Amino acid sequence: MNYVYTEENRLEQPHKYMYTAFGGTAFLQAYAADRRAAIAADVAAASSAEESIDANLLRALQGKDIGAAVDALGAATRGLEDATIDAPPATVALLLALAARRALGLKIRDLDRAWVSRLAQRFEVTKKLYAGYAPGFRKGILPRDEVRPYWLLALVLSLYGAHDGRLSLLSTLLKVDDLLCSLPAAQREGAIPSGGLAYILRQELATVRALAAKVEVDDGAL
Amino acid sequence: MALSDVAMVAADSSRTRAYLYALARHDLLPAHVVVLENRSAELLPGQADDKVAAESEIARDVVDEALAKAPPSAKDDCWSEVRFDMTRPLLGLLDALGVPWTAAPDKNINAPDVVAMIAARPESVFIYSGYGGVLLRADVLSAGKHFLHVHGGYLPDFKGSTTNYYSLLDEGQMGASAIFLTAEIDSGPILLRRRFPAPERRGEIDHVYDSAARAKVLVETLAARAPTGDWRPELDNSAEGDTYYIIHPVLKHLAILGGGSGA
């Protein structure tokens, strides 16, 4: 059985996920195999030489020393400070701020949760994430096909969803990860830091396995 | 016996059939049905295809006796409304039940002609059984009617879509809640809500058990409210609950295959 949700480019052909068919444990095996293949490919292509805020964000989340780059992450968190629905910052600034707060071990605030929920809602309603939104945070006004925001969204969903145990965010994360895995490697290059896809997919698989164990689904399927 | 002040706006879906079978069994049929027919070849969300019906172990057993009056014991059986024929032609079913119906000019409840048709009806309460993914817009919500909707989930905890799967993962149980529709999704005042245990055949939640849970709550709501016309809510629905979006198939599979409490 193939895992069909990554077979087409989901930036170009979004999936609505309505009334999806039941495929038994074979489906879960196909999903896990698809994710493991994507992890392996990303690990094989990884290089440690990258220096970007996203790369340092990833290193910080992995518990590695990032030296002076911690100041840049601290600065990134300020992207949330003046953010309102009526004056929303660029999507990347919002996402970086949310991710950086977790990377720096800062306490999650209701404000942070509200933005995570809004960003998830925007993606769920349109299956797209725009680089910017008009006041009101409903209408997207900047490009929607840049890959980097989707990776940052997946990272944020993973960090906040896992912390709060929110199934709704896990479901959205799975869809965003389907989108990222559906893209050709060349489309992800330069948009996701080295090893960044593998990182979020490992987190996702671990969360899904934990949930499977909790509801007594045979872990061998995953 | 028809409820004189209650009509129905109905998609040609498995849920509509569940509702009609349940209402017939309990003598609570609506006075009139506005049918949102899907005249295209492509099925809409909520419509069961032949494969679903053929694979359903429950649907296989349904015969006309499923329309017979419900026994008193049905009150205590949470899954009493599970037996209905999900593929029986809707218009034929309405005719067999003696329920007057009108085909809407469009399958979209928000289309101006459909709104006008609903507004012109004399009944003040409309049971809403629409196609999946459709939200009622301002025009139809301000047509002067109360739209009685049964959400497939226990409100206010589980708002949004496919919530019974999330509920199974989180709590090991399902729910259904009767509300009057408002502009805000799943936020109307709650008329009645019930919890349901995890069903035996979780692979049939989409078209059978979710529909049966909603039909059960619909019957109980109408039985309690329609004869008196007292539609006062049982409780407010303003509390914040998480809003859920269409569940990803991986999580749906865990909900179907799971057997633990999830708690």
Side-chain angles (χ1 to χ4, degrees):
Chain A
M1 174 184 286
N2 293 337
Y3 182 67
V4 301
Y5 300 98
T6 57
E7 282 186 344
E8 290 185 61
N9 185 317
R10 294 299 171 200
L11 260 187
E12 293 167 9
Q13 303 279 344
H15 201 293
K16 289 183 182 173
Y17 297 98
M18 291 188 94
Y19 289 91
T20 51
F22 179 64
T25 52
F27 171 81
L28 292 176
Q29 289 165 344
Y31 149 75
D34 191 82
R35 291 302 201 248
R36 284 195 296 268
I39 290 169
D42 195 48
V43 166
S47 105
S48 58
E50 197 172 334
E51 280 298 329
S52 66
I53 190 164
D54 290 2
N56 281 313
L57 176 63
L58 191 59
R59 287 193 199 101
L61 287 168
Q62 291 169 321
K64 297 175 183 169
D65 181 18
I66 58 171
V70 71
D71 292 336
L73 284 186
T77 65
R78 292 199 282 276
L80 275 167
E81 297 320 313
D82 297 320
T84 65
I85 295 176
D86 292 326
T91 303
V92 164
L94 269 175
L95 291 166
L96 260 179
L98 288 165
R101 285 189 61 82
R102 296 307 299 142
L104 294 173
L106 298 176
K107 192 175 163 204
I108 296 180
R109 306 165 298 181
D110 287 344
L111 166 73
D112 304 332
R113 290 190 175 91
W115 277 113
V116 173
S117 293
R118 284 186 199 115
L119 288 157
Q121 193 257 4
R122 286 293 91 213
F123 175 78
E124 285 282 6
V125 170
T126 62
K127 296 302 178 289
K128 294 282 188 183
L129 193 65
Y130 287 77
Y133 288 88
F137 208 71
R138 292 186 78 83
K139 185 173 161 50
I141 55 172
L142 290 177
R144 59 186 188 177
D145 291 335
E146 296 172 2
V147 175
R148 183 183 178 210
Y150 292 96
W151 178 75
L152 284 169
L153 177 61
L155 192 62
V156 163
L157 292 171
S158 177
L159 292 169
Y160 286 80
H163 182 275
D164 289 347
R166 284 176 66 187
L167 287 175
S168 57
L169 295 187
L170 176 57
S171 183
T172 306
L173 170 62
L174 281 156
K175 294 173 191 173
V176 179
D177 284 349
D178 281 347
L179 184 153
L180 290 168
C181 290
S182 76
L183 302 176
Q187 198 171 355
R188 291 194 298 260
E189 203 176 317
I192 300 178
S194 190
L197 182 63
Y199 178 82
I200 56 168
L201 294 182
R202 283 197 185 105
Q203 301 294 316
E204 178 209 277
L205 267 175
T207 306
V208 169
R209 285 192 183 115
L211 181 59
K214 190 172 157 189
V215 298
E216 297 172 18
V217 171
D218 179 10
D219 189 58
L222 294 164
Chain B
M1 183 188 76
L3 299 174
S4 59
D5 194 33
V6 176
M8 185 172 179
V9 57
D12 186 357
S13 66
S14 43
R15 186 186 310 161
T16 292
R17 288 159 178 79
Y19 282 2
L20 288 171
Y21 270 76
L23 295 174
R25 280 192 283 264
H26 294 273
D27 232 2
L28 293 165
L29 286 167
H32 195 93
V33 176
V34 173
V35 180
L36 305 172
E37 285 186 293
N38 176 20
R39 300 186 183 95
S40 80
E42 197 180 317
L43 291 180
L44 291 173
Q47 295 190 293
D49 60 23
D50 293 338
K51 184 170 178 288
V52 166
E55 289 176 355
S56 169
E57 293 184 35
I58 296 166
R60 208 171 293 149
D61 295 333
V62 174
V63 292
D64 274 343
E65 279 73 19
L67 283 168
K69 192 168 164 61
S73 59
K75 196 164 173 288
D76 302 319
D77 175 12
C78 63
W79 292 119
S80 60
E81 309 313 323
V82 80
R83 296 183 71 227
F84 63 93
D85 184 345
M86 70 173 78
T87 61
R88 182 167 181 173
L90 178 57
L91 303 183
L93 175 60
L94 289 168
D95 288 340
L97 293 173
V99 178
W101 56 269
T102 313
D106 197 299
K107 62 178 179 283
N108 178 4
I109 191 174
N110 293 301
D113 289 351
V114 180
V115 175
M117 177 180 276
I118 290 171
R121 293 289 319 166
E123 300 86 3
S124 64
V125 175
F126 271 73
I127 300 165
Y128 176 66
S129 179
Y131 291 106
V134 174
L135 299 177
L136 269 59
R137 302 288 180 207
D139 284 349
V140 71
L141 286 173
S142 53
K145 309 297 180 189
H146 296 293
F147 290 95
L148 174 58
H149 169 64
V150 186
H151 168 68
Y154 196 78
L155 290 173
D157 307 355
F158 292 95
K159 292 182 178 174
S161 178
T162 59
T163 47
N164 271 322
Y165 286 111
Y166 290 103
S167 180
L168 278 170
L169 287 171
D170 203 24
E171 301 180 344
Q173 55 189 350
M174 293 171 57
S177 309
I179 60 173
F180 280 133
L181 288 173
T182 61
E184 228 178 289
I185 297 173
D186 298 330
S187 295
I190 298 169
L191 297 163
L192 189 145
R193 57 182 184 166
R194 290 280 180 265
R195 293 189 192 278
F196 294 78
E200 206 178 296
R201 298 188 181 107
R202 296 190 187 201
E204 299 208 51
I205 289 173
D206 275 344
H207 289 281
V208 178
Y209 287 102
D210 185 84
S211 300
R214 297 186 200 220
K216 181 77 171 176
V217 166
L218 178 65
V219 160
E220 291 187 1
T221 302
L222 288 172
R225 308 308 186 97
T228 61
D230 179 2
W231 296 99
R232 274 175 295 177
E234 192 176 274
L235 89 146
D236 187 27
N237 191 9
S238 60
E240 294 288 325
D242 213 348
T243 295
Y244 293 85
Y245 303 98
I246 296 175
I247 196 166
H248 188 278
V250 166
L251 299 188
K252 183 175 173 178
H253 276 69
L254 294 184
I256 292 173
L257 293 167
S261 68

